[in-house]
Amino acid sequence: MRNAINWFEIPATDFNRAVAFYRTVLGQEIRTGEFMGVPHGFFPAEDAGVAGAIIAPPDAAPSTSGPLIYLNAGNTLAAMVARVGAAGGQILLPETSIGEQGAIAVIRDSEGNRVGLHAPPVG
């Protein structure tokens, strides 16, 4: 097993709002489509890397108390955090150094999900 995680899903009650939020905050395209009858907004991913999507199933239940996933912020963590409020989210933990592992921030997205952003160490 190369990674403990290979796929993740972030639930949305308003799919278009959630896709717009992540497009804005990440500054990247989110490709949309449908999979098994459920709208999906696919995060960019390399062929063999971890992938995931924003999903809008009928039983979507966004939460700030469930598992916490961290999206890769690369070297743009500060810029991503700066776009959160205008995109309809809230900063729960501002950019914070985690030592030799880099830096993190934790946000609440437009749907009410708690999501982390991680930047690797500069080096």
Side-chain angles (χ1 to χ4, degrees):
M1 178 169 48
R2 292 170 57 200
N3 293 308
I5 296 173
N6 66 352
W7 179 259
F8 64 89
E9 296 175 338
I10 298 175
T13 53
D14 184 325
F15 181 72
N16 292 328
R17 177 180 63 199
V19 168
F21 175 84
Y22 283 100
R23 280 179 177 156
T24 299
V25 171
L26 300 179
Q28 296 186 2
E29 184 56 32
I30 304 291
R31 183 178 50 85
T32 60
E34 191 172 291
F35 182 71
M36 297 181 65
V38 176
H40 279 60
F42 298 97
F43 290 98
E46 295 180 11
D47 291 337
V50 175
I54 302 156
I55 62 165
D59 62 347
S63 173
T64 57
S65 61
L68 179 59
I69 63 159
Y70 283 82
L71 301 177
N72 185 355
N75 63 356
T76 64
L77 180 59
M80 286 183 184
V81 171
R83 295 189 289 256
V84 168
Q90 178 184 8
I91 299 165
L92 301 176
L93 175 70
E95 183 175 348
T96 303
S97 172
I98 55 172
E100 61 187 46
Q101 286 77 35
I104 61 169
V106 178
I107 63 171
R108 183 188 51 77
D109 71 8
S110 62
E111 305 307 291
N113 294 299
R114 180 180 59 141
V115 177
L117 303 171
H118 174 257
V122 178

